[in-house]
């Protein structure tokens, strides 16, 4: 039995709440169970330096946790001036995932920064971030279209993410912290609305995993992500 | 007329929401109008290094803003590894204000860290932080008493804060961002429940201010803080 | 009785020595008793980046202590690459105080940096710095006028500062280190030559202070600063 | 046709040269075509701080490139004091891969650090590093066994890695730089001698990839890694 | 007797291997006995910022050791973001030595960076670096001449370096690590092909040295450097 | 003719003023013409970490310039958190020079830190620092002897330093800034009271120098240092 009494292929309750940050061009509070991330989209009129004059824009992400998002307080990374390897991996993953469904030339020479700040962390913060950041990005793009800054919708597709893992020998979907910390294998999948794969990351924490186990995880992820994208659609059309 | 149509001596709507951070020993979401700060209290079983063996504890604070708490996105301070002078001034002010009403030996050799993370910034973030952090600290102390970690209540009094200023020649209470950015004089007051002064900071941004103006600001602050402390009392007794 | 046998409202011996740094556009060695600060003014032909093209100049300050200015040696802040909160607070205070009496457009698009380096620290280093830096700034302005770089005198008034405090229940003026380290309340006042208030900072180190106590401190400060400004006048006219 | 005239499923010439660093407990110079990495194993008698007293050891890795390993010179990361996200991802990957085949308690309370310094970079530096670091680690373990520091062989299996990708719509094995920089999808696989999966990372650089494409890449990787492990076996037995 | 059985005035076996870094404009692997340094020359089309528009170029050097170049592993300097005083001294020495024989205007507004990365360290890494970097610089200049980027040869002379010392009261040439670590006096000499002195550094580690001892060291250095320059000539003409 | 009308072998006016820092265990204000350095000695009851338990003490130095010690203001090194190569070279030189005449076991397990803060810089700051720091160290040792902390005098000899150079083809003693900045060769010599050499550093800034020129510089230095040591003797005995 899973700690939350969920079935092996069952996700936690997911919510996506739009328009939560009044000053941002786009925003979404996403929760996967007790994991809660505030995603904001900020439009900057200049692309990053290395892209100046390239006739296209950029989408990037920053990720951070509030110090008491976790069971035990963690030091702010700002105190040391260095981002941990984990933080860097996550923010690179979020950025790549969003760029995979964005037509960058259609943005123009601008940059959209997605800030994903974790208010509560109970496993799956990076997958919740990808899923919520897409909504914030969508709002930002709407904001631009309303102001006729862009003619084309630069978002080619949805993108969402979920974690899978092998816990006590069982393949499970959407791990919460207690499962995550004891999983034998830990995987993250990012897929588009049309079912294409954008990112696959699977890591054996203890013993190696087999190709069958990998395929079972991918199957669960595909199902979970389909539900997430359904929810994204509801949220952006219902607003 | 003030931008928000308030009277000169009128505060914005203030809310204090307890218990918002499930993993922390104490927490409070405080809002002063559109300013919104998440305050959490984290209990650590060890005092800071320089206090080891001194037979007493410590209360300290950290302050940060999410990058898109403001109208324009600000870089995270963590990127450079240095806290700005403004951030350091604010977190030192919050810490001193709370210690002024805390019986440090009664905490035992422990440390309580108050994290004040600004989700939305519309002026008065430091005064909202002091006011909300007191509630989070109070919850933390309750948490410790329930577990019989301490016998005495280490909180000797309430503490709350409010800003005043001179805007267009008028003395006003609780400035929002639009007022703050054009104020001739900017002041912050921290007072206890019994009316004692803990911190006074007043700065002429343009021309110097007079003793009369200073006293008018102090008068407004005394009134505003009395209301804030009333609200703190309601919130801790109603829960 | 005060450790130095002074009356409660008596300042330490103050000296202001002009022209001590041969390479600087302005300089002043200021001493308040055993506190000794070397203040230099450096004229830079460019304003800070964020002020380019604004048609006005800037006055700013840096503050540092030599490692053995104090009874026990302190590490240089340079070793860690971060300025302490205390240092940042002080240099921001000095800069604001001087700008409060400076006509910034009259400087032209230039910057004047006041370096306040503490050679000996026996309490009151920030107030001595403000008082001495004004003299260095005045010399720098003279230097500019002699070279016809500016037509108008950009200094609208004098500015000087002094500390007050409550020590053993008594309100005292110009605290030396031994008093400062045991004071119940610690305050700094910055006033102009015409008696306007520029900065007020008062902090309860232990128990809160009353409005009466605050007013008594302000009264002492007003008297002390009047004497300091008298001395500034003597020094700039006698040279 | 591939730039190096290789078949789609053909690896570059691989060499593993043992014992190249006279002062290290283990070492291996690995080359995958023009990619060349010096791997050394350093035994430290203390485990990392957070593992003290846990009754087991640790294996970790550091990765760096010489500034002129690449076609254009790159700044040393040391100049800024921060490791890039890419460097951190790579060294975490190498460490995890080696720990997946190491019996950590069998090492005792010690740490083995694998330094992977890239002398020449022509694509696949991380996969070459994993493959060569395993040999250096094996030498280090031999060194310990010769000195009777450990009784059991802590290495449970071989581990090696290879990259795959989709270039011009074709699935290819072991990408060199020219292919890597234009690949539509980029993947890295780490497998053990017995065929278990340790790490899978696949990233769509442009359009998403399909499950079929992913499986084709995994198939090629399995074949390439089998050859690499064959070579590891030759090298450790022939020496 | 010296640890390596050498005569007092005998250098270790020296090798200079050209063209070892395929991507660099110039390169040389230099070994003095077990000391082994990879020197690469990188041509940049822009001079450093402070030299823009000065009508001449610049030659500079960076120096680093691989962590396991030494008997005991050393932390990478990159981890702390600060170069040690030793590293900075060495890279400044290498840069100055090369500039002493370079006609900087003849390079044009460009910069040549010599990276000296120590693969193995057994004493004399800075003198080996100077000696090998000259060959890499020579190759870079040849590369530029072949492309008609420069008409004049900017290298006016050879330059090479060697260490001397007083070990157990004896004046010796080209110290290896074991001697270096117990030497009473440690000296480094940099001379040109025509016998001019470029750098002299002599340091008493224990008791002061006499003028006679200094002159004896200089005599040995002159002899050793003559041999090194002979070897440089062979290597550049034989290629 | 030299800019200051001095003869080629003539030093600037040198003063050594003892006891200038009331809080330090030893201090000396040293001036070589317009160069002025405040040297303080701070006794710490613990040796540096790496020397704990070694039965001896340590003498070390730190060197810094006030921002306006120079004709043009220089940024504080503290702002960037990194010491320049020049600063590190100088403070290492001062430390080594003092240790060369100190019996480290006679200090006991303690550390003496010499802070050399340049108030005015007109060439020769490092040689003035060595010369003045010796006096501060001597005062510190006296202070320890008066308190019976040590029985033996740990200072075995005097040490002092002076610069020489080749300016316009002439060998000159004790260069001021104007000479230093145009010198063809720049050298620093550190000698003991008994005439032993402690440090020799000579650098060709432009063309190489000859052995004869080197010997002429050494001759001048010997003469200048003899005078400096005479002055040290007067100052320590006259006090």
């Amino acid at each position: 039995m899973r700690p939350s009494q969920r079935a092996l292929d069952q996700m936690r309750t997911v919510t996506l709440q739009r328009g939560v940050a009044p000053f941002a061009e786009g925003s979404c509070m996403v929760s996967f169970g007790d994991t809660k991330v505030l995603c904001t989209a900020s439009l900057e009129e200049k692309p990053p330096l290395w892209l100046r004059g390239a006739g296209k824009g950029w989408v990037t992400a920053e990720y951070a946790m509030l110090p008491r998002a976790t069971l035990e307080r963690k030091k702010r990374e700002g105190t040391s001036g260095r981002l941990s390897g984990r933080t860097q991996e996550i923010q690179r993953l979020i950025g790549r995932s969003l760029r995979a469904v964005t037509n960058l030339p259609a943005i123009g020479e601008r940059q959209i920064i997605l800030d994903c700040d974790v208010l509560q962390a109970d496993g799956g913060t990076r997958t919740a971030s990808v899923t919520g950041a897409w909504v914030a990005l969508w709002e930002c793009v709407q904001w631009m279209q309303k102001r006729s800054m862009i003619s084309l919708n630069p978002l080619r597709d949805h993108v969402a993410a979920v974690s899978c893992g092998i816990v006590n020998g069982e393949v499970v979907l959407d791990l919460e912290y207690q499962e995550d910390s004891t999983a034998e294998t830990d995987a993250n999948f990012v897929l588009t609305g049309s079912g294409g794969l954008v990112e696959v990351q699977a890591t054996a924490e203890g013993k190696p995993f087999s190709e069958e186990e990998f395929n079972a995880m991918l199957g669960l992820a595909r199902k979970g992500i389909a539900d997430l994208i359904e929810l994204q659609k509801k949220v952006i059309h219902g607003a």
Side-chain angles (χ1 to χ4, degrees), chain A:
Chain A
M1 209 30 166
R2 301 178 69 177
S4 56
Q5 325 288 33
R6 284 186 283 152
L8 299 176
D9 65 348
Q10 190 185 346
M11 291 201 60
R12 291 174 285 180
T13 305
V14 174
T15 65
L16 295 169
Q17 190 183 349
R18 278 181 53 188
V20 294
F23 302 138
E25 284 76 34
S27 62
C28 179
M29 182 78 83
V30 53
S31 62
F32 279 31
D34 275 343
T35 287
K36 202 168 158 182
V37 184
L38 174 56
C39 306
T40 60
S42 296
L43 177 67
E44 308 210 327
E45 276 302 313
K46 286 183 183 170
L49 258 178
W50 53 270
L51 208 70
R52 301 271 156 95
K56 60 178 186 174
W58 195 243
V59 173
T60 189
E62 294 193 6
Y63 168 96
M65 281 213 228
L66 294 201
R68 200 55 197 278
T70 43
L71 268 171
E72 306 211 349
R73 184 178 185 276
K74 286 200 181 135
K75 276 194 182 168
R76 291 169 195 273
E77 294 193 82
T79 322
S80 74
R82 300 182 194 194
L83 297 179
S84 71
R86 181 186 172 276
T87 293
Q88 294 206 48
E89 275 183 33
I90 293 175
Q91 59 192 23
R92 282 154 58 92
L93 170 72
I94 302 169
R96 280 197 313 263
S97 299
L98 296 171
R99 286 193 298 274
V101 294
T102 307
N103 179 351
L104 294 174
I107 294 176
E109 294 216 348
R110 299 185 179 94
Q111 181 169 226
I112 303 174
I113 303 175
L114 279 301
D115 285 292
C116 300
D117 285 273
V118 179
L119 305 188
Q120 287 172 219
D122 187 30
T125 61
R126 82 186 70 188
T127 53
S129 293
V130 169
T131 306
W134 185 89
V135 176
L137 177 57
W138 181 89
E139 279 200 344
C140 180
V141 162
Q142 290 284 106
W143 189 94
M144 292 164 81
Q145 285 186 312
K146 272 184 201 143
R147 279 154 192 79
S148 302
M149 295 168 75
I150 49 176
S151 43
L152 230 80
N153 182 347
L155 277 179
R156 285 192 291 240
D157 202 346
H158 285 252
V159 77
V162 79
S163 73
C164 293
I166 307 177
V167 182
N168 298 326
E170 303 271 23
V171 173
V172 296
L173 178 64
D174 184 28
L175 285 66
E176 57 198 88
Y177 176 73
Q178 193 184 328
E179 293 173 313
D180 197 32
S181 58
T182 59
E184 290 106 51
T185 291
D186 185 26
N188 291 290
F189 295 90
V190 183
L191 272 78
T192 63
S194 50
L197 285 83
V198 166
E199 285 276 339
V200 172
Q201 294 180 339
T203 298
E205 302 289 344
K207 68 179 172 69
F209 54 95
S210 69
E211 208 161 326
E212 292 66 42
E213 288 169 323
F214 178 83
N215 286 329
M217 292 192 290
L218 175 50
L220 287 187
R222 199 176 273 291
K223 175 181 166 303
I225 288 174
D227 292 349
L228 291 171
I229 285 171
E230 229 25 69
L231 187 59
Q232 287 178 342
K233 286 182 180 164
K234 248 187 237 161
V235 163
I236 64 173
H237 294 130

